Amino acid sequence: MLSSAMDSAFEPLRGNVQIIRNEDDVRQGLEALLRLDPRLAPIVAEAGAIPLRLREPGFAGLAHIIVSQMVSRASAEAIWRRMLPADGSLTAEGYALLHAEAWREFGLSRAKAETLSRIAEAVASGRLDLSGLCLKPPGEALGELTALKGVGPWTAEVYLMFCGGHADVFPAGDVALQNAVGAAFGLAARPQAKALAELAAVWSPWRSVAARLFWAYYATRMRRDMVPIG
């Protein structure tokens, strides 16, 4: 969860950026979503508790998301444990100083290792401010993140949701979300990213809470955690 120091830096509304900081903000978002779209009422009832899952913004948060992509949660956590230094704090500066073959020892793919190296170099050099990025409007922040080779829309969206606390981000390319919305609304097939983004438009400015809701709903049905960050 975000530290108290970061809590003081984030405000519920910063310019046009709505920030989720705690469970009360999630509850506020759910109440707003039910007013925006009454069809969500039975989904809220079935979903149960909605996970907050906020992490500290910065290199470690983004790195963890990248490590977790396309592998099982158990594999991701095993890799992550090998990556963490003795003090448990993974920094961009520390990662940039690792020897060239460290990624093999961690169990990373070459592609992920190269992406993490590019991010570490950008952060360590001051070209990329991952904490400051969280206070920018979603479109601007997403544009800066996806400009980094290897960082796709899903990675950027999940980072802004779970490390930045952005309230109005919806990773429509997430297959679990596509399945969840399809199941919840009785669709014949799961909606693809473009169609899901169009469906989600009605849930603005609380699309991040809507995403949390559908992940929780689908997790209840599948009986396993579906949120893409531990």
Side-chain angles (χ1 to χ4, degrees), residues 67-69 71-84 103 105-109 112 116:
V67 167
S68 301
Q69 287 179 252
V71 297
S72 71
R73 183 157 292 183
S75 295
E77 291 308 313
I79 293 169
W80 187 249
R81 285 193 296 271
R82 290 192 288 269
M83 289 176 62
L84 286 178
W103 61 277
E105 299 169 7
F106 299 150
L108 285 169
S109 68
K112 287 184 179 181
L116 290 174

Side-chain angles (χ1 to χ4, degrees), residues 77-164:
E77 291 308 313
I79 293 169
W80 187 249
R81 285 193 296 271
R82 290 192 288 269
M83 289 176 62
L84 286 178
D87 66 0
S89 178
L90 183 66
T91 66
E93 292 78 9
Y95 191 89
L97 292 174
L98 293 172
H99 66 84
E101 297 298 306
W103 61 277
R104 296 184 188 275
E105 299 169 7
F106 299 150
L108 285 169
S109 68
R110 183 183 292 274
K112 287 184 179 181
E114 290 175 349
T115 297
L116 290 174
S117 292
R118 281 190 289 268
I119 295 169
E121 192 279 326
V123 172
S125 68
R127 291 189 293 109
L128 179 65
D129 178 3
L130 286 172
S131 295
L133 199 66
C134 295
L135 297 177
K136 294 185 177 182
E140 183 179 346
L142 288 170
E144 287 191 37
L145 282 171
T146 55
L148 293 162
K149 185 179 179 181
V151 179
W154 183 91
T155 303
E157 288 159 349
V158 170
Y159 176 77
L160 290 182
M161 282 183 65
F162 292 107
C163 296

